[in-house]
Structure formats: structure tokens, C-alpha cells
Amino acid sequence: MSWLQKFLPSQIRTEGGSKKNVPEGLWAKCQGCGSVLYKAELERNQDVCPKCSHHMRIGGRKRLEHFLDPEPRVEIGESLSPVDRLKFKDSKRYKDRIVQSQKNTGEKDALIAMMGQVKGLPLVACAFEFRFMGGSMGSVVGEKFVRAVDYAIEHELPLICFSASGGARMQEALFSLMQMSKTSAALARMSEKGLPFISVLTDPTMGGVSASLAMLGDINIGEPNALIGFAGPRVIEQTVRETLPEGFQRSEFLLEKGAIDMIVDRREMRNKVASVLGILMGRASID
Amino acid sequence: MDLNFLDFEQPIAELEAKIEELRYVGNDSDVNIGEEITRLKSKSQSLTESIFSKLDSWQTAQLARHPQRPYTLDYIERIVTDFEELHGDRAYADDAAIVGGVGRIDGRPVMVIGQQKGRDTKEKVERNFGMPRPEGYRKALRLMEMAERFKLPVITFIDTPGAYPGVGAEERGQSEAIARNLFVLSKLKTPVICTVIGEGGSGGALAIGVGDRVMMLQYSTYSVISPEGCASILWKSAERAADAAEALGITSGRLKELGLIDRIIPEPLGGAHRDLDEIARNVKGAIIENLNHLDTLPLDQLLEERYQRLMSFGNFEE
């Protein structure tokens, strides 16, 4: 036992394993800088590395937890759950994939929607749960998103959506594709009512989600270093047969190319969104 | 005529070859083989009927991509009079993978937009195999908005493997270009009629596929992902494309059953490429019939029905 290990309390000491192993539960390793971080501290910091500011992926519910004021909160469309109309089966049954994902995430599907407030400004907020089948958009995600839009229209509230998705859900085949037009049509209706939609694109936002609701914000915000694009980097590499440049399809690249308005640090999101929405909604300054 | 037979059509190809041979022999001998030719021809016909009555999804996908399958410009040539092609997105380039322009169908002014594949190698490259880049979708958008201003119905022909997955396409905002079209089409103040004539490849197809009526040619396909792409992700092998095609339910029959499309346009025996004039007549008839109906709707109702149609797609419980 090295002097350092002796120094650590016994419950976080690794016994016998390789030095690289991080004890389950208490510590996390930053994929950005490799620092070993105390998990509780990391969570307080909204899963952003306190050392290098690397933004790790964060669950949808946890994200809304950080983003919204503690009160009030009303969940929208929480009872919606997926059905396997096509009896889709690849190496696994879609039905089983649903059950597995529901068990792993505690969510019924890959989108969570809530009415709430940010610094006292009422709004509707949605967040994708990437751990639910890669945040893929099927019928439930589409329907819940539309209900969030409808709620916003009915109560004259702005809408914000944090996307994290691999794209359309293949297991629902063409029904998934139709969620692209369904969500976009709802946003078109919202736009005609003069209500703002802010789209926050987080790591990763690809395919059918990026090619529909996520790119339709009145304001598009990227999280630092998020992968955002239509086609996946692997598909592009196979098509053009060359290696892609460093930073390709990252937020910073999209900002340079004019696809997003700004890049905002997760810890600054509440302030930034409250300020911008305050302006778009014609409210008096908060501070 | 060289019909370029697909694998599953080989028995038909063999019969047709035999008929050709007999004809050749018949020309320089006195033996009357006309009867034999007639017999073989009717055999070929019934064989084709039997093969085409039980096509599976993967075979249909091959027909939808048939090298001789009629493309958008083939239909425009046969259906649209006074056609004037309009070019460019006014910002970056003219994308030859999407063609569009004004013209008349049965005397009635319309805007026509469709993806266009190439016939020979040179044209295939020029048209990027029918895979549009953002400037193609933005050209389409410009034409849709123009159609709204001049109260022209929009007629679209869908035929693409998908939006192009390239570096430049990403740099110029492929996602945004597609998303914007979905957004604008959903509330465009003029009738929109979409017809899948070949491959309906995912978001790249949908970007000109949101309308009041969506029709499919009998042997066309429409899918969220190509069977090969789906197989390589979910089965970890592109060779399982046939399984993926079946699971995805990409055929007109299946999609009609599921309520995702409104109408199937029947193709001539053996596929659209066997008789271009016949398929063009069928397509034209279906378009006119729908146009006549949509014309009777007040604008508010047209838009409300389009919206409700889009909202109705999906399966869930609560």
C-alpha cells in the first residue's frame, strides 16, 4: 500500500485492482483532462469538470433540475409511453429494448417536458434523455414535444429544448421520420403566435433531431464542444474517404459556420436564457 | 429493348432471351415459329405476373433503384407543359440533385420540385446520385415560397437515397436546410402534393415531402434509413439489408396499411420502367384528381387538415 492509499479513508481505497480503476460511485474521471473528480462535487457543478470545464453528458431530468427554479414545476405528458406497433425485431426485440431503457433510466421514453420558471420567468422546458436508446426520437418524443409546444401556446410561454439525440428511432421506422415534420409543424405554429423557442444543442445532436426541432430555434445555443450535425462523422468519412478535420461538427465549428448563435457554459445557462428570454418576451430586466 | 433485369427477374430474362433468339432465327428461315413466340410471350407475361405478385421488401427496394426507373425529369417531360426550369438558391449555388420550375399540368399553372438522379456516369456525378446538398433544399424552399406568393400548387417528386453526407454539406447547414423546409411546408399557403417515385430516403426525402397528400408509386420505397444503413447499425452487417428492409416496412402497401401515405399509384406490369407513358398517365391522373379536390377547400381548412394530418402520426399509450 502506497503512502497515498494509506492516507485515504478505507471505503474509497481500491483493493488489489489496477491503479486506473476508479471506485464505483464516489469518483468520476473527466474524459476531457483525465482528472479524478469527487462525484458529489461534480454533480454540484452540473457535471462540468471543475478543472477543465469539459461538459459531460447529463441526464434529462437532472438537467431540468439544475436549470429550473425549484418551484413551480408541472410535468407535461408524463404518462406517454411507447408501443411497438411494427413488432420490430433486429438482434433484439424493440419491446425488450424499451423495457431495458426504462429500467436503466427510470423514464418512460427519451424526452422530459415541464412547465417551470427560470429566475422567476415562466416557460416550458424539454430535455432529451440520451441514455434512453441514444435519445432517439420516436412517436412518444414527437408527441410529448408537441404537447409541450401546445402548453406553451395555450399559456403564452416561451419554450426551450435541450437536445441530446442520435436522431430518429429506427425501431419505429417511418413513424419516427414523421416526428420530424410533426415537431417542426408545431414549432411553425408557435412561431406564428410570436412565442420564442430556444434550442440548446448538447452533445450529441444528430440526424433527424438536428434536422428538425433542434435547428429551428429563434435562438440556437450550443454547449461547449458538443457534437452537432446531420450525418455522423463515420458516415461522412466513409462517403468522402478522408479523415475529417479536428473540431469538425463541434459547437465551435458550427458557431464559425453560422449555424448557432452562441456557445453557453452549462453553469451560465440559467442567467443567459433568463436574460435573453426576458428581452424577447418584453419583460422588465430582472437584476 | 434491354430491360436490365434484376436478379430476381432472371427467369423472365431467360425467357425473353429465348424469344429474341427465336425471332432472329425466324427471320432467316421459312419455318413458322410465330406460334412458338406467342406461346413464350404469354408465358413470360404470366411469369412476370407471378414474380411481381409476391415481391418482398428488398426486391421492391431494388426496383425503386432500378437503373432504368423513370426520374423526375421523365415525368415532367410527360406531364408538365410549358415547363421552365428555375435554378439556384440565390446564396451559394445551383444544386443539380434537385430540379424545380414552373409549368402547367392540364393547363393549370403549378410549381414542380423533385430530386433528380443521373442516367449515365457523367450525369450521375453531376447530379450527385440524387443526393441534395443544403443549396438544393434552399432552392426548393425559394420555389415553395414563390409558389405561395403566386398561388401555385406545389407538386413534388421524391427520389433520393438521402441528403448528401459530405463535409461541405455539413458546413453549409444540411440539418438547418432540411428542418427549415419541414417548418415552411407545414404552413405553406397553397396545396402541396408529394409523390414518391423511387427512393424516399429519410430526411432528405421528407424535406420536400410534407404536404396535403403523399402518394407512392407501387414499387417505390420510403424509409427512415436505408436498409443497408439500418442493417449495419442494428445487425452489425450491411448484408442483412433484406432483413432490415422487411422490418422497416418500406413498401407502399405496408405504409398505406399503416396510414402513413394516402394513395398508391399502380405501376405497369414489371415496374414503371417497362412503360413510361403508362406510369406518367397514372401519376398525372392521381395528381389532377387530388388537385381538383384540394381546390375546393378554403385555405384555412386546407392548412388545418394538413396540420392535423401531421399531428396524427405516431403510436403511444398513456
Side-chain angles (χ1 to χ4, degrees):
Chain A
M1 205 180 277
S2 73
W3 67 270
L4 178 65
Q5 277 173 308
K6 274 183 203 152
F7 199 71
L8 292 169
S10 63
Q11 74 264 30
I12 51 171
R13 212 181 272 157
T14 23
E15 303 293 351
S18 95
K19 278 184 201 154
K20 280 182 205 141
N21 274 351
V22 177
E24 199 68 35
L26 272 174
W27 300 90
K29 194 171 170 184
C30 172
Q31 303 107 298
C33 64
S35 305
V36 175
L37 306 165
Y38 187 42
K39 243 190 178 166
E41 193 197 338
L42 183 62
E43 277 187 26
R44 268 196 302 280
N45 210 36
Q46 305 191 32
D47 287 28
V48 176
C49 174
K51 304 244 165 67
C52 73
S53 287
H54 175 73
H55 282 53
M56 301 178 194
R57 289 175 185 171
I58 184 169
R61 198 163 288 273
K62 215 157 113 189
R63 178 181 292 276
L64 294 182
E65 194 63 42
H66 286 299
F67 179 69
L68 295 172
D69 297 344
E71 291 288 330
R73 288 182 192 178
V74 180
E75 191 156 353
I76 299 166
E78 67 209 289
S79 56
L80 289 168
S81 51
V83 292
D84 176 21
R85 171 127 180 236
L86 301 175
K87 310 244 175 307
F88 196 99
K89 182 171 177 281
D90 46 83
S91 55
K92 240 174 156 183
R93 279 174 206 283
Y94 177 37
K95 245 183 156 167
D96 298 338
R97 286 187 196 267
I98 293 172
V99 172
Q100 192 61 48
S101 289
Q102 287 176 334
K103 234 172 90 191
N104 292 346
T105 61
E107 302 295 342
K108 290 205 175 75
D109 208 308
L111 189 76
I112 300 148
M114 274 182 205
M115 189 282 289
Q117 291 188 350
V118 173
K119 302 181 92 178
L121 187 131
L123 48 65
V124 176
C126 305
F128 278 77
E129 175 51 69
F130 187 73
R131 288 176 308 138
F132 198 108
M133 296 185 71
S136 56
M137 178 161 71
S139 299
V140 169
V141 170
E143 177 68 18
K144 200 182 272 194
F145 186 83
V146 169
R147 290 198 190 179
V149 171
D150 288 346
Y151 191 102
I153 292 176
E154 195 190 330
H155 297 89
E156 295 182 19
L157 301 174
L159 177 72
I160 182 165
C161 179
F162 298 89
S163 38
S165 172
R169 186 172 298 169
M170 282 177 283
Q171 289 84 352
E172 290 187 29
L174 204 68
F175 283 107
S176 298
L177 191 73
M178 294 304 141
Q179 304 313 309
M180 292 173 64
S181 38
K182 183 169 173 170
T183 54
S184 303
L187 286 173
R189 199 158 258 209
M190 183 163 176
S191 173
E192 283 179 341
K193 308 277 180 204
L195 295 165
F197 169 49
I198 294 189
S199 174
V200 183
L201 299 100
T202 80
D203 188 57
T205 299
M206 307 298 292
V209 169
S210 123
S212 63
L213 63 98
M215 274 295 167
L216 291 173
D218 292 296
I219 293 175
N220 292 335
I221 299 176
E223 273 199 334
N225 201 39
L227 185 74
I228 302 164
F230 177 66
R234 233 169 4 121
V235 174
I236 298 174
E237 264 177 346
Q238 282 163 9
T239 311
V240 301
R241 293 175 202 286
E242 53 187 276
T243 36
L244 300 171
E246 178 78 22
F248 181 67
Q249 291 185 318
R250 297 286 170 184
S251 296
E252 295 70 15
F253 172 90
L254 268 84
L255 183 68
E256 189 194 313
K257 299 293 173 192
I260 58 176
D261 292 280
M262 58 181 96
I263 296 172
V264 176
D265 188 299
R266 193 177 292 160
R267 296 160 293 187
E268 280 304 310
M269 199 64 79
R270 272 171 59 81
N271 287 335
K272 196 65 110 181
V273 169
S275 160
V276 169
L277 277 181
I279 292 169
L280 295 182
M281 296 296 285
R283 294 188 131 221
S285 179
I286 319 169
D287 298 324
Chain B
M1 174 169 149
D2 175 16
L3 284 172
N4 231 320
F5 289 97
L6 298 169
D7 278 355
F8 63 88
E9 296 177 295
Q10 273 322 303
I12 307 170
E14 279 163 28
L15 261 181
E16 290 292 329
K18 216 180 238 172
I19 294 169
E20 273 307 299
E21 217 170 275
L22 278 178
R23 273 206 186 110
Y24 183 73
V25 175
N27 283 344
D28 44 40
S29 84
D30 328 321
V31 197
N32 184 1
I33 46 171
E35 224 170 85
E36 177 67 2
I37 290 180
T38 316
R39 196 183 63 80
L40 285 178
K41 273 185 129 175
S42 94
K43 197 174 165 195
S44 165
Q45 164 114 3
S46 59
L47 185 64
T48 310
E49 274 166 19
S50 120
I51 288 177
F52 274 74
S53 67
K54 41 179 192 274
L55 288 182
D56 65 28
S57 302
W58 181 235
Q59 290 167 334
T60 309
Q62 289 167 275
L63 270 175
R65 301 170 181 170
H66 195 288
Q68 288 179 320
R69 190 149 180 99
Y71 299 149
T72 294
L73 285 172
D74 297 311
Y75 289 103
I76 289 178
E77 193 182 307
R78 285 167 180 78
I79 295 173
V80 185
T81 54
D82 300 343
F83 181 68
E84 280 304 332
E85 188 174 351
L86 304 173
H87 294 273
D89 70 345
R90 297 293 187 269
Y92 181 77
D94 182 43
D95 185 350
I98 288 193
V99 296
V102 291
R104 294 172 188 273
I105 295 183
D106 241 16
R108 156 139 210 207
V110 292
M111 179 70 77
V112 186
I113 299 167
Q115 283 116 356
Q116 178 66 33
K117 296 177 177 176
R119 222 32 99 178
D120 57 32
T121 309
K122 184 167 165 267
E123 198 199 355
K124 279 185 173 132
V125 172
E126 257 169 40
R127 301 204 179 270
N128 201 27
F129 302 87
M131 293 185 282
R133 298 179 164 96
E135 46 274 22
Y137 292 115
R138 289 178 182 135
K139 168 168 70 177
L141 179 68
R142 180 173 77 84
L143 299 184
M144 292 166 197
E145 288 177 333
M146 191 198 301
E148 182 179 64
R149 277 197 302 284
F150 299 106
K151 303 193 168 46
L152 307 175
V154 176
I155 310 296
T156 75
F157 294 112
I158 295 163
D159 189 16
T160 179
Y164 185 59
V167 175
E170 293 290 326
E171 287 177 341
R172 297 191 294 279
Q174 187 73 288
S175 288
E176 195 275 342
I178 294 171
R180 187 63 52 196
N181 284 13
L182 307 179
F183 185 92
V184 169
L185 273 174
S186 74
K187 56 169 185 164
L188 198 75
K189 296 187 183 70
T190 187
V192 182
I193 298 174
C194 314
T195 308
V196 184
I197 56 171
E199 284 182 276
S202 193
L206 187 66
I208 59 165
V210 178
D212 302 297
R213 291 289 182 278
V214 176
M215 310 189 283
M216 280 177 79
L217 262 58
Q218 188 175 1
Y219 304 125
S220 65
T221 57
Y222 199 0
S223 181
V224 67
I225 183 170
S226 72
E228 293 91 332
C230 180
S232 68
I233 297 171
L234 292 181
W235 279 267
K236 316 275 176 233
S237 153
E239 319 232 302
R240 301 291 298 275
D243 295 313
E246 208 58 56
L248 286 166
I250 60 179
T251 62
S252 60
R254 182 82 176 112
L255 295 171
K256 178 78 175 44
E257 233 171 66
L258 293 168
L260 287 164
I261 60 160
D262 304 296
R263 178 168 177 161
I264 300 172
I265 300 174
E267 295 191 25
L269 182 63
H273 58 286
R274 296 280 194 102
D275 192 337
L276 264 64
D277 292 327
E278 184 185 334
I279 190 62
R281 266 196 309 279
N282 294 352
V283 169
K284 184 177 173 184
I287 290 173
I288 289 174
E289 210 178 290
N290 278 305
L291 261 185
N292 287 343
H293 170 70
L294 295 174
D295 268 347
T296 64
L297 304 179
L299 189 60
D300 285 355
Q301 191 185 342
L302 180 81
L303 295 180
E304 183 58 26
E305 283 180 16
R306 186 187 303 161
Y307 190 78
Q308 292 311 331
R309 181 181 179 281
L310 294 172
M311 293 304 125
S312 72
F313 297 138
N315 307 290
F316 45 81
E317 353 170 279
E318 49 179 336

